[in-house]
Amino acid sequence: MSAATPVPTAIVIRPDADGAFEGSMVVDPDDPIFAGHYPGFPIYPGVCLVEVAHRVALTALGRPDIRLAEIESSRFLYPIAPGDRLLISGKVIGMRCAVDIHVAHQPQPVRTARVRLSFRSEDE
C-alpha cells in the first residue's frame, strides 16, 4: 500500500552508478492545490517540494526497505508557478540524500530549492 502524496505528477528519474541522479517534472497547472496557495498569485507549496525530493530520493536509493528518518534541511529560494518545468538533481551518500531543484527558465535554470534527507531501515 502506498502512502498519500501531495505530488500527483509523474517524476522522471535517471540514477547513475555513483549515486548521482537527475530528473524532471512539470508542475500541473490544474493541480487543485493552487486554488488556495495563493489566490491570485499561485505558488507551488514548499511541502510539495519536500515530497518531490522524498520521492526522488527513494527512487535513487532503490531500496524498498527504507523510510524517511529526518528532513535535515530545506531551503526555498525561488517561487514555482503552475506549469513550470522542474529540473531535479542530487547525490546519494549512504542513507542520506541531497536534492537540488531548479526551475527551467531561459536562458539558465534558477535554483528554487535544496532539500537534505536521511533515511533508515524499516527494521530500526
Side-chain angles (χ1 to χ4, degrees):
M1 177 181 191
S2 63
T5 175
V7 183
T9 304
I11 304 171
V12 178
I13 304 300
R14 294 169 298 283
D16 291 344
D18 68 352
F21 57 86
E22 60 181 30
S24 64
M25 70 170 263
V26 175
V27 176
D28 182 359
D30 297 322
D31 191 322
I33 203 154
F34 289 119
H37 201 269
Y38 296 96
F41 187 70
I43 298 174
Y44 200 57
V47 69
C48 293
L49 291 174
V50 171
E51 178 62 11
V52 166
H54 176 226
R55 289 177 55 192
V56 166
L58 285 173
T59 300
L61 285 160
R63 292 185 48 191
D65 65 327
I66 62 171
R67 65 181 181 149
L68 182 64
E70 179 182 1
I71 300 168
E72 295 178 357
S73 68
S74 59
R75 296 185 61 96
F76 308 108
L77 308 167
Y78 189 86
I80 296 173
D84 277 349
R85 182 168 173 258
L86 305 183
L87 306 174
I88 304 156
S89 62
K91 178 95 173 159
V92 172
I93 301 171
M95 294 288 275
R96 300 171 82 193
C97 191
V99 180
D100 287 320
I101 302 172
H102 291 74
V103 175
H105 285 303
Q106 296 299 328
Q108 187 163 313
V110 176
R111 177 181 281 161
T112 190
R114 169 168 269 175
V115 181
R116 297 196 185 286
L117 307 170
S118 62
F119 295 83
R120 67 175 178 213
S121 167
E122 287 184 351
D123 299 338
E124 294 177 29

